[in-house]
Amino acid sequence: MNRRTLILTLAVLAGCSERVNPIAPAEPGSAVASDPSDPVQISIRDLIVERLAVDRSKVDMNRPIGDPPLSADDLDLVELILDIEERFDVSIPDEELEKVTGAPAAELPSRITPAHLATLAKQAMERAGKKAE
């Protein structure tokens, strides 16, 4: 069983397939700078569009992915992280998700934004000695 299958299986067994109601929006001022020409942010937006089957124009880089119109749940977040790890050939530790948002794991879909995901990808690439393309 590969890592992706194992994580998805564990997420489903843990009940992560239920929709999460947003608890609180991201803290004011916690938005990460959005740069439409940044290749990492472009890739993150593409992954979200593909994974969540939403129109590209609906992806606001500074709006939590758990909020409408994306309405991502815990399982969607796990799958997005796996997609990011695969796309950039990096590893993103769970504790980094909590660090970048300042939110506990249970609140992540209601707090993490696409810009946060781009920051996580960039940090993981730096740790791995890779350059954004």
Side-chain angles (χ1 to χ4, degrees), residues 60-130:
D60 179 340
M61 293 302 287
N62 292 310
R63 186 180 185 102
I65 64 171
D67 288 356
L70 302 181
S71 302
D73 61 19
D74 294 5
L75 185 55
D76 293 324
L77 177 58
V78 168
E79 291 174 330
L80 279 168
I81 295 298
L82 291 171
D83 291 343
I84 292 167
E85 290 177 331
E86 187 176 311
R87 169 82 50 100
F88 296 105
D89 192 27
V90 296
S91 178
I92 299 173
D94 293 342
E95 54 272 5
E96 292 298 318
L97 291 166
E98 293 179 21
K99 253 193 250 181
V100 80
T101 62
E107 295 179 21
L108 283 174
S110 64
R111 295 300 261 319
I112 198 162
T113 66
H116 286 131
L117 294 173
T119 297
L120 286 166
K122 289 176 186 178
Q123 290 171 347
M125 289 188 311
E126 285 176 16
R127 283 191 304 274
K130 298 179 181 203

Side-chain angles (χ1 to χ4, degrees), residues 15-26:
C16 292
S17 61
E18 296 179 22
R19 288 276 177 208
V20 173
N21 292 325
I23 295 168

Side-chain angles (χ1 to χ4, degrees), residues 3-21:
R3 180 174 179 235
R4 181 183 184 98
T5 304
L6 178 63
I7 291 173
L8 291 175
T9 302
L10 292 173
V12 170
L13 290 174
C16 292
S17 61
E18 296 179 22
R19 288 276 177 208
V20 173
N21 292 325

Side-chain angles (χ1 to χ4, degrees), residues 29-52:
S30 68
V32 181
S34 181
D35 178 0
S37 65
D38 177 12
V40 174
Q41 287 190 17
I42 291 168
S43 290
I44 298 298
R45 187 183 302 263
D46 291 344
L47 289 171
I48 290 169
V49 166
E50 184 180 321
R51 173 63 55 196
L52 302 178

